[in-house]
Amino acid sequence: MKALSKPTLSAWVANQLYWRDRQAFDRLLAAGNQFRTAQAAQLAGKSTDLRAPLDARREALSDLTKRAAEVLRESGHPASPETMRRIMTTLEALATYGGQTEAAPAGRLTSDIDPPGFEVLAALVPHGGTSARQGGAPPRVIPFSQPKTQTAARRGGSTEEKAWRRDVERRQKQAAAQKALLDAERDLKEARRAAEEARAAMKKAAANAKEMERAKAALDTRLEKASAEAEAARQEARRVASHAEEAAQAVDDAERAVASARETLEDTERR
């Protein structure tokens, strides 16, 4: 049994969307079918407004694009603009083919899908309820009945095709903007976390500084008290020293007085 090929990252994401977000995926396919039906009516010469089905397809594709970015982020892959562009192109192709037999097997893609050319797109448009593959015949390309439409196709496509191409380009830009938004939100989250950590560190530093100020104030008070006590001790030492000097002087005076009295006594006795 031949092993299945490993899908590209963008194809893998499209498969994940099919299995994980089936309702959103089905909305895209339904919007694609509605758009093809409106195109069929317009090509048949009926007055049909393509804006409503085109807006529905655009909203469904935008929703799936956001979900695709989430799938990439959850799987650890970057939602680069190129990857998002390939995913959008594949989703656009699936919406264009819808449930036709030409459609690639949704949920089992192995590679990216390009949207069909305008001639193929015309063949996919339902006409008169007849199957494009009825009786095994090749798909019939619906002819353009108006010369202006033929000229427009030769010059690069009809008004609807140009609008479709502009819509694809707009969604590619939207995917890039979505990626930039995701990156900016991630950077904002990291900046907020860093700011919160900085605020916590600042509070801790402020509390530590306040505690050091209190300790310094206590030391200053103790130092002032010790300085006052030292000054009092110095004054007391000077007073005691002065008193000691006075006492020593009194001793000297007393000794001289005793010596003088002794001499007087001796002189008296000799006479």
Side-chain angles (χ1 to χ4, degrees):
M1 180 176 178
K2 185 177 180 180
L4 296 176
S5 300
K6 183 177 180 181
T8 62
L9 176 59
S10 49
W12 177 81
V13 172
N15 292 338
Q16 292 299 309
L17 294 175
Y18 176 81
W19 295 111
R20 293 173 45 175
D21 300 283
R22 181 63 63 83
Q23 290 184 351
F25 203 95
D26 289 344
R27 282 196 299 270
L28 176 63
L29 298 183
N33 288 330
Q34 292 173 3
F35 185 67
R36 283 196 308 278
T37 301
Q39 281 183 316
Q42 190 176 73
L43 290 172
K46 298 179 182 180
S47 178
T48 305
D49 182 15
L50 295 177
R51 183 178 301 276
L54 186 61
D55 288 343
R57 189 179 65 172
R58 181 185 300 113
E59 291 176 3
L61 186 59
S62 176
D63 182 30
L64 278 179
T65 300
K66 294 178 182 179
R67 296 170 186 261
E70 294 176 359
V71 171
L72 286 170
R73 184 170 60 252
E74 291 172 0
S75 61
H77 295 285
S80 66
E82 177 61 21
T83 300
M84 296 302 299
R85 184 194 65 77
R86 293 202 305 270
I87 294 172
M88 287 186 61
T89 301
T90 295
L91 293 175
E92 173 67 24
L94 291 173
T96 302
Y97 281 112
Q100 302 293 326
T101 56
E102 292 82 357
R108 297 186 295 275
L109 302 177
T110 58
S111 61
D112 303 335
I113 307 175
D114 292 327
F118 196 63
E119 291 76 10
V120 178
L121 179 63
L124 294 177
V125 173
H127 42 84
T130 303
S131 173
R133 292 285 188 177
Q134 185 174 2
R140 182 174 61 89
V141 178
I142 296 178
F144 298 103
S145 58
Q146 300 179 8
K148 291 183 178 180
T149 305
Q150 293 177 349
T151 303
R154 286 195 299 268
R155 291 179 179 176
S158 67
T159 302
E160 290 78 10
E161 185 181 9
K162 291 178 180 178
W164 172 73
R165 289 175 179 174
R166 286 196 299 270
D167 188 53
V168 171
E169 293 176 357
R170 185 194 63 79
R171 284 195 293 272
Q172 290 174 353
K173 293 179 180 179
Q174 185 182 27
Q178 179 71 19
K179 168 62 168 51
L181 175 60
L182 292 174
D183 291 342
E185 289 177 344
R186 184 184 63 252
D187 293 342
L188 175 60
K189 184 177 180 180
E190 293 177 355
R192 284 176 175 172
R193 183 174 62 251
E196 185 63 27
E197 292 176 353
R199 281 193 294 268
M202 181 184 67
K203 290 180 180 179
K204 183 177 180 181
N208 186 54
K210 189 174 182 179
E211 182 64 26
M212 292 300 100
E213 287 292 337
R214 285 197 294 266
K216 179 179 179 298
L219 290 175
D220 289 342
T221 300
R222 291 175 58 186
L223 177 61
E224 183 177 357
K225 182 179 179 181
S227 297
E229 291 176 351
E231 181 61 26
R234 284 193 295 270
Q235 292 179 1
E236 178 65 16
R238 286 195 292 269
R239 186 187 67 77
V240 172
S242 177
H243 182 71
E245 290 178 355
E246 292 175 355
Q249 184 64 40
V251 170
D252 290 343
D253 292 344
E255 288 178 348
R256 285 194 293 271
V258 170
S260 177
R262 185 176 290 114
E263 290 178 355
T264 300
L265 178 60
E266 291 177 351
D267 287 344
T268 301
E269 289 178 350
R270 280 196 300 268
R271 294 177 182 173

